[in-house]
């Protein structure tokens, strides 16, 4: 068996005989590089052996040299059977790995969805026909076993018929000689007739071993086989004992029980399976090959089969600007705990040699893909046709109209990594290269911004994905797809958690969240989004490095108007918000029902009220003096209906205003008692006095000043109005 590594630059003199027959051209410097992966049989007299061209993922860059397994020069391992430095474990790995590569190419070639001309395939006749060559490749053995099963169904039927012929027939000579009979008239009745005894049949045992091997080949490597027998097969632990040596021992014990050519040929195949160094004769009347050019296309198809979705809307994967995304699928978003709120994940597979890094061009393309997906989504909701309603329901809108924030687009690279122990175990991890994620921003500290795009980079065990794809088992593929999608989601979330602090927030009962966010748009833009299925609960993300230097100030300001709790990305915020609500002892009047007192203060008087409120948190409405029937003045209780239930106080100069929350239950006090407090009019004998809650505020920029000016007119008298009528809508 000969081994060539894809895209490695060999000296022409080292491989000119091995590569004879394929279009590997020597360059001007005397080197040859092959852009194929697969298998072919070299019929040249100097070789006459199987040649495997294996993927470049076996290569690792070590001190500027490309080495197989990071240890061997590819020139040193061309011939596996002559002076080869590989250990026996590494040789065994090469044998099995070649089978998986072969199977993956076959599955790719047979998938009608892969419309491509990169696969070159030609088969030869199989075991025992025409010219012969000596081969000990495991692939030869497996293929020969499968082919023997296809071509010899009549042989199996003949053997089975002979094995079972005559069973359960009564042996009358032995029955009469050895058992008693009951005589009734002229009839003798034998209660215990003697049947023909079943003897050990070595033909049957050979078939059991053969079909047990086929069953293992089907389960382990995915080769399609048909087993038309009712034998109890050797499986599980018992078959492992056969793999560990019992198979060869038992076959040797029954070898000389066979005389027909077919039985001997079958014995040879079974023995060769248990001893891959055994000589197997395979026909070579014409060249056999299964080669694929540009294996990166196969790798992309493998990853897309194991990760991606096929049902993608038009214009999304095949984008309108001619770009094509390698992998896309719909899955639970990063920022939500609700599985019914999916988002499209964007992936790009990278078929590299071990240790290679993603180039800047690939990163830029990936950012462009994400921008196109965002624009496609906006076009769908803003300019969509009636037939787009189904997709609208499935994908959801990326832009939040309340905050004008954009959902985070999950974006990732996925490349192949060879497991260090050459194990086929399931392994997905963040790449161990220097840079594991990439970021593109136009503004600092704006995660939920259209121009903030992030990419994470993963490595998958190349051996595992190749074997999984080659088995072509839909249940196994679906199970891995589900698991790996969740791994990708959690890893991107972990990456974001390292960079950002996440909070959830909900407005106080007396705060109109939409109005507040509209008035504070510039301070919250790109930092707030609504991923939780309601426009009342918001996700807040702040860069831990605090590039703007105002994270704490923003949190302090937001906490005046919102319940703000720590909330990991994608976590349900309801329990934490419910807890902080239950611990809040303040009373917040409902905006929709509360009354508001509006008073006008002009010039320095308006400015002074800020300091007055700080020093004396009371507010008094003067009781009006009225003239009685005799012409004298007296204090008369003259109040607007509902004024004692007022919840807010607005002090304004008709250009700007301050808004204060009033506590319930005003009382009457004399003028002497509130000389330093803010009042509607000085010098009154009696005042209706409210207590101002200095710990609760309402944003003044949420007040509609046009409505205030219209309400006050040219007068200076205090006005009582429904609070909702002076709030911006």
């Amino acid at each position: 068996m000969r081994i060539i590594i894809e895209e490695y630059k060999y000296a022409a003199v080292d491989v000119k005989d091995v590569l004879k027959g394929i279009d590997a051209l020597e360059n001007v410097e005397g080197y040859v590089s092959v852009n194929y992966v697969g298998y072919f049989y070299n019929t040249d007299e100097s070789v006459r052996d199987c040649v495997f061209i294996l993927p470049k993922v076996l290569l690792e860059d070590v001190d500027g040299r490309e080495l197989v397994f990071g240890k061997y020069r590819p020139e040193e391992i061309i011939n596996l059977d002559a002076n080869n430095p590989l250990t026996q474990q590494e040789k065994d790995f090469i044998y099995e790995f070649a089978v998986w590569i072969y199977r993956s190419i076959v599955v790719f070639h047979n998938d009608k969805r892969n419309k491509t001309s990169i696969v070159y395939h030609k088969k030869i006749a199989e075991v025992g026909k025409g010219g012969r060559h000596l081969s000990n490749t495991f692939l030869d053995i497996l293929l020969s076993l499968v082919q023997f099963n296809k071509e010899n169904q009549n042989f199996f039927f003949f053997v089975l018929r002979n094995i079972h012929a005559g069973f359960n027939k009564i042996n009358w000579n032995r029955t009469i000689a050895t058992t008693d009979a009951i005589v009734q008239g002229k009839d003798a009745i034998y209660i215990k007739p003697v049947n023909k005894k079943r003897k050990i049949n070595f033909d049957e045992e050979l078939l059991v071993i053969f079909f047990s091997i086929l069953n293992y080949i089907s389960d382990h490597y995915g080769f399609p086989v048909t087993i038309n027998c009712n034998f109890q097969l050797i499986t599980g632990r018992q078959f492992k004992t056969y793999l560990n040596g019992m198979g060869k021992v038992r076959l040797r014990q029954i070898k000389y029980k066979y005389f027909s050519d077919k039985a001997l040929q079958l014995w040879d195949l079974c023995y060769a399976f248990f001893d891959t160094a055994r000589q197997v004769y395979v026909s070579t009347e014409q060249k056999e090959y299964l080669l694929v050019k540009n294996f990166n296309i196969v790798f992309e198809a493998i990853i897309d089969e194991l990760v991606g979705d096929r049902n993608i809307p038009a214009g999304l994967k095949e984008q309108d600007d001619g770009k094509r995304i390698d992998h896309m699928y719909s899955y639970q978003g990063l920022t939500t705990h609700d599985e019914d709120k999916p988002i499209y994940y964007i992936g790009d597979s990278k078929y590299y040699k071990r240790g290679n890094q993603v180039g800047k061009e690939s990163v830029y393309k990936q950012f462009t893909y994400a921008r196109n997906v965002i624009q496609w989504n906006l076009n769908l909701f803003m300019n969509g046709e009636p037939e787009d309603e189904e997709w609208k329901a499935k994908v959801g809108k990326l832009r939040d109209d309340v905050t004008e924030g954009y959902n985070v687009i999950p974006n990732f690279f996925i490349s192949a990594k060879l497991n260090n122990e050459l194990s086929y175990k399931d392994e997905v991890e963040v790449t161990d290269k220097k840079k594991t994620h990439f970021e593109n921003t136009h503004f600092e500290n704006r995660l939920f911004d259209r121009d903030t795009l992030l990419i994470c980079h993963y490595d998958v065990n190349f051996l595992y994905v190749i074997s999984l794809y080659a088995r072509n088992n839909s249940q196994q593929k679906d199970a891995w797809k589900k698991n790996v999608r969740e791994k990708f989601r959690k890893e991107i979330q972990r990456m974001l958690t390292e960079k950002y602090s996440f909070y959830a927030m909900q407005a106080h009962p007396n705060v109109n969240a939409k109005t507040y966010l509209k008035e504070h748009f510039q301070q919250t833009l790109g930092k707030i989004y609504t991923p939780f299925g309601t426009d009342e609960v918001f996700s807040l993300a702040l860069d831990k490095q605090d590039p703007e230097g105002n994270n704490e100030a923003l949190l302090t300001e937001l906490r005046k108007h919102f319940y703000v709790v720590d909330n990991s990305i994608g976590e349900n915020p309801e329990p934490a918000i419910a807890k902080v609500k239950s611990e809040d002892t303040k009373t917040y009047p409902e905006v929709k029902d509360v009354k508001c007192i509006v008073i006008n203060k002009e010039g320095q008087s308006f400015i002074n009220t800020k300091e007055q409120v700080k020093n004396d948190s009371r507010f008094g409405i003067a009781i009006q003096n009225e003239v009685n029937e005799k012409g004298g003045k007296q204090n008369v209780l003259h109040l607007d209906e509902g004024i004692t239930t007022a919840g807010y106080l607005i002090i304004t100069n008709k250009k700007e205003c301050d808004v204060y929350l009033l506590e319930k239950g005003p009382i009457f006090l004399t003028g002497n008692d509130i000389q330093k407090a803010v009042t509607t009019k000085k010098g009154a004998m009696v005042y209706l006095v409210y207590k101002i809650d200095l710990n609760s505020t309402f944003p003044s920029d949420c007040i509609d000043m046009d409505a205030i000016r219209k309400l006050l007119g040219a007068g200076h008298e205090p006005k009582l109005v429904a609070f909702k009528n002076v709030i911006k809508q």
Side-chain angles (χ1 to χ4, degrees):
M1 180 173 173
R2 309 300 171 92
I3 297 297
I4 298 295
I5 306 299
E6 175 198 17
E7 292 187 6
Y8 180 76
K9 291 173 65 176
Y10 291 91
V13 67
D14 292 332
V15 294
K16 63 179 181 180
D17 294 332
V18 177
L19 295 178
K20 187 173 292 185
I22 64 174
D23 60 346
L25 301 178
E26 179 181 346
N27 66 15
V28 293
E29 298 175 345
Y31 289 97
V32 172
S33 179
V34 181
N35 193 28
Y36 290 103
V37 169
Y39 161 90
F40 74 96
Y41 180 73
N42 191 325
T43 59
D44 187 76
E45 290 295 331
S46 63
V47 181
R48 295 185 66 80
D49 202 355
C50 301
V51 180
F52 278 98
I53 306 173
L54 299 181
K56 60 188 178 184
V57 294
L58 295 178
L59 293 174
E60 184 173 357
D61 194 322
V62 179
D63 298 329
R65 296 190 304 163
E66 292 181 328
L67 303 179
V68 177
F69 305 142
K71 297 188 289 184
Y72 308 107
R73 294 174 56 243
E75 295 89 346
E76 297 176 315
I77 66 166
I78 292 176
N79 191 339
L80 281 185
D81 304 315
N83 301 321
N84 198 290
L86 293 175
T87 65
Q88 188 58 47
Q89 179 187 4
E90 290 166 341
K91 286 183 180 180
D92 292 342
F93 166 78
I94 291 290
Y95 279 117
E96 187 174 19
F97 182 57
V99 175
W100 289 124
I101 294 298
Y102 171 87
R103 278 291 304 156
S104 64
I105 296 174
V106 169
V107 173
F108 174 82
H109 183 54
N110 292 338
D111 191 340
K112 295 180 180 180
R113 295 172 297 184
N114 297 322
K115 298 178 181 179
T116 178
S117 59
I118 63 172
V119 178
Y120 304 90
H121 189 204
K122 187 173 184 179
K123 295 181 66 176
I124 63 172
E126 298 299 337
V127 176
K129 298 177 182 178
R132 301 183 174 199
H133 76 76
L134 182 64
S135 173
N136 62 351
T137 66
F138 195 38
L139 179 60
D140 279 327
I141 297 166
L142 297 183
L143 297 179
S144 297
L145 285 162
V146 173
Q147 192 66 24
F148 188 92
N149 182 53
K150 289 180 179 178
E151 295 182 350
N152 292 280
Q153 291 297 312
N154 290 336
F155 167 70
F156 300 140
F157 177 76
F158 175 78
V159 173
L160 292 172
R161 186 182 64 182
N162 287 341
I163 290 173
H164 295 284
F167 284 152
N168 296 322
K169 272 191 171 183
I170 297 175
N171 188 329
W172 287 111
N173 291 333
R174 294 188 63 198
T175 300
I176 294 170
T178 61
T179 62
D180 296 327
I182 299 174
V183 179
Q184 290 184 349
K186 296 180 180 180
D187 298 325
I189 301 172
Y190 291 89
I191 298 176
K192 296 181 179 180
V194 178
N195 294 342
K196 285 186 176 181
K197 288 187 177 180
R198 181 181 179 124
K199 297 180 181 179
I200 296 174
N201 190 294
F202 295 103
D203 283 340
E204 179 177 346
E205 184 170 3
L206 180 60
L207 291 183
V208 169
I209 293 174
F210 172 69
F211 287 125
S212 297
I213 293 172
L214 288 181
N215 182 64
Y216 174 80
I217 290 173
S218 176
D219 287 345
H220 193 64
Y221 295 109
F223 283 93
V225 298
T226 301
I227 300 176
N228 295 320
C229 76
N230 294 320
F231 294 132
Q232 183 174 352
L233 301 182
I234 306 167
T235 59
R237 292 183 179 179
Q238 187 180 4
F239 190 80
K240 285 185 178 180
T241 65
Y242 273 66
L243 290 174
N244 292 332
M246 181 61 187
K248 291 194 295 181
V249 171
R250 186 56 189 154
L251 285 169
R252 287 196 197 102
Q253 291 172 346
I254 64 175
K255 177 177 181 180
Y256 299 106
K257 306 297 180 181
Y258 308 110
F259 301 99
S260 73
D261 289 341
K262 285 291 182 184
L264 290 172
Q265 185 182 355
L266 181 59
W267 187 95
D268 280 340
L269 285 172
C270 291
Y271 190 86
F273 174 79
F274 292 117
D275 181 9
T276 56
R278 180 67 183 170
Q279 295 178 349
V280 177
Y281 292 94
V282 183
S283 168
T284 57
E285 291 176 334
Q286 54 184 327
K287 180 176 292 187
E288 173 186 272
Y289 53 82
L290 179 63
L291 297 170
V292 60
K293 197 169 187 177
N294 300 323
F295 191 74
N296 61 295
I297 297 176
V298 178
F299 181 71
E300 179 183 321
I302 290 172
I303 297 301
D304 203 42
E305 177 72 14
L306 300 180
V307 174
D309 284 340
R310 295 282 183 174
N311 186 23
I312 302 294
L316 197 52
K317 188 171 183 178
E318 303 285 348
Q319 298 185 337
D320 292 340
D321 61 357
K323 293 181 174 61
R324 182 184 181 278
I325 298 176
D326 284 357
H327 318 293
M328 281 196 84
Y329 60 86
S330 177
Y331 194 66
Q332 183 180 355
L334 301 174
T335 57
T336 178
H337 63 284
D338 189 350
E339 294 184 4
D340 294 332
K341 301 294 180 182
I343 196 171
Y344 276 106
Y345 285 63
I346 304 170
D348 187 38
S349 52
K350 293 300 176 185
Y351 177 62
Y352 288 147
K353 298 174 184 176
R354 297 172 69 185
N356 282 29
Q357 294 189 19
V358 175
K360 292 182 179 179
E361 181 181 352
S362 296
V363 174
Y364 182 81
K365 285 182 179 178
Q366 204 67 11
F367 286 140
T368 302
Y369 296 153
R371 291 190 186 95
N372 287 345
V373 169
I374 293 172
Q375 191 58 54
W376 176 90
N377 186 275
L378 292 177
N379 292 341
L380 177 69
F381 283 89
M382 297 174 66
N383 308 310
E385 302 296 331
E387 58 268 22
D388 294 330
E389 293 302 318
E390 180 182 356
W391 287 116
K392 289 181 181 180
K394 287 182 179 180
V395 302
K397 193 174 182 180
L398 290 178
R399 187 181 69 189
D400 171 26
D401 292 333
V402 175
T403 65
E404 295 195 25
Y406 285 78
N407 204 349
V408 181
I409 301 292
N411 207 333
F412 62 90
F413 291 116
I414 182 169
S415 56
K417 178 182 179 181
L418 199 65
N419 177 268
N420 293 330
E421 292 80 31
L422 302 181
S423 167
Y424 285 81
K425 67 180 179 180
D426 182 5
E427 196 172 57
V428 179
E429 58 186 21
V430 174
T431 179
D432 59 4
K433 302 175 183 65
K434 291 182 179 179
K435 197 167 186 180
T436 61
H437 69 272
F438 311 89
E439 184 174 359
N440 180 79
T441 59
H442 284 190
F443 302 96
E444 293 180 319
N445 205 4
R446 291 189 188 179
L447 175 62
F448 301 118
D449 188 88
R450 175 173 178 162
D451 295 311
T452 298
L453 303 171
L454 305 119
I455 305 175
C456 196
H457 190 176
Y458 304 99
D459 280 326
V460 296
N461 185 1
F462 183 77
L463 304 179
Y464 179 81
V465 296
I466 283 288
S467 63
L468 180 61
Y469 180 77
R471 288 191 191 97
N472 204 24
N473 183 303
S474 59
Q475 289 184 337
Q476 292 178 356
K477 290 190 293 186
D478 289 343
W480 192 75
K481 180 181 290 188
K482 180 179 179 180
N483 290 336
V484 80
R485 286 181 175 182
E486 183 60 20
K487 286 182 181 179
F488 285 173
R489 177 176 180 268
K490 288 187 178 299
E491 189 52 46
I492 298 176
Q493 287 179 323
R494 186 196 63 78
M495 181 187 75
L496 291 172
T497 301
E498 288 181 353
K499 183 173 176 59
Y500 293 91
S501 296
F502 289 91
Y503 308 86
M505 60 187 221
Q506 185 175 18
H508 292 160
N510 63 317
V511 174
N512 186 312
K514 294 181 181 180
T515 303
Y516 179 89
L517 294 176
K518 184 176 181 180
E519 294 298 324
H520 294 80
F521 178 76
Q522 199 60 42
Q523 290 80 13
T524 59
L525 177 62
K527 298 179 176 65
I528 294 178
Y529 185 69
T530 55
F532 302 116
T534 172
D535 58 5
E536 296 181 356
V537 181
F538 304 87
S539 178
L540 169 67
L542 297 177
D543 192 324
K544 291 181 178 179
Q545 296 184 1
D546 195 8
E548 299 171 302
N550 66 349
N551 281 359
E552 286 302 319
L554 178 61
L555 281 170
T556 300
E557 178 62 25
L558 289 174
R559 287 189 174 110
K560 294 178 181 179
H561 313 285
F562 295 83
Y563 300 109
V564 181
V565 297
D566 292 333
N567 192 75
S568 300
I569 183 172
E571 182 180 335
N572 183 3
E574 292 180 4
I577 290 180
K579 183 175 184 295
V580 74
K581 278 184 174 181
S582 67
E583 295 172 349
D584 186 9
T585 58
K586 298 175 185 175
T587 302
Y588 300 94
E590 292 290 339
V591 169
K592 64 180 180 180
D593 298 325
V594 75
K595 299 282 188 178
C596 174
I597 301 170
V598 182
I599 63 173
N600 183 29
K601 297 283 186 180
E602 295 182 352
Q604 191 62 38
S605 178
F606 174 74
I607 298 173
N608 292 342
T609 57
K610 296 179 184 290
E611 193 65 27
Q612 282 182 273
V613 170
K614 289 180 182 180
N615 296 329
D616 189 336
S617 60
R618 294 178 297 175
F619 163 68
I621 297 179
I623 302 302
Q624 298 181 20
N625 289 324
E626 290 191 354
V627 179
N628 58 24
E629 295 178 354
K630 297 181 180 181
K633 293 183 179 181
Q634 62 181 7
N635 292 319
V636 178
L637 186 63
H638 183 81
L639 300 174
D640 293 333
E641 182 179 355
I643 196 169
T644 57
T645 64
Y648 285 94
L649 168 66
I650 296 178
I651 304 175
T652 180
N653 61 0
K654 296 185 180 180
K655 296 178 181 179
E656 54 183 315
C657 68
D658 295 316
V659 185
Y660 301 98
L661 178 67
L662 300 177
E663 295 183 0
K664 290 183 178 180
I667 60 175
F668 289 103
L669 294 175
T670 65
N672 293 331
D673 294 326
I674 58 166
Q675 291 182 1
K676 296 182 179 180
V678 176
T679 60
T680 57
K681 184 179 181 182
K682 294 295 184 183
M685 295 291 294
V686 179
Y687 291 86
L688 181 66
V689 180
Y690 297 82
K691 183 72 184 300
I692 297 174
D693 183 356
L694 296 179
N695 295 320
S696 299
T697 60
F698 190 91
S700 59
D701 45 13
C702 294
I703 301 300
D704 186 345
M705 292 306 300
D706 288 336
I708 292 293
R709 284 187 286 270
K710 184 177 181 181
L711 175 70
L712 293 175
H716 293 81
E717 295 297 321
K719 301 291 184 179
L720 183 67
V721 65
F723 192 39
K724 63 181 180 181
N725 292 339
V726 293
I727 297 177
K728 293 178 181 177
Q729 302 300 318

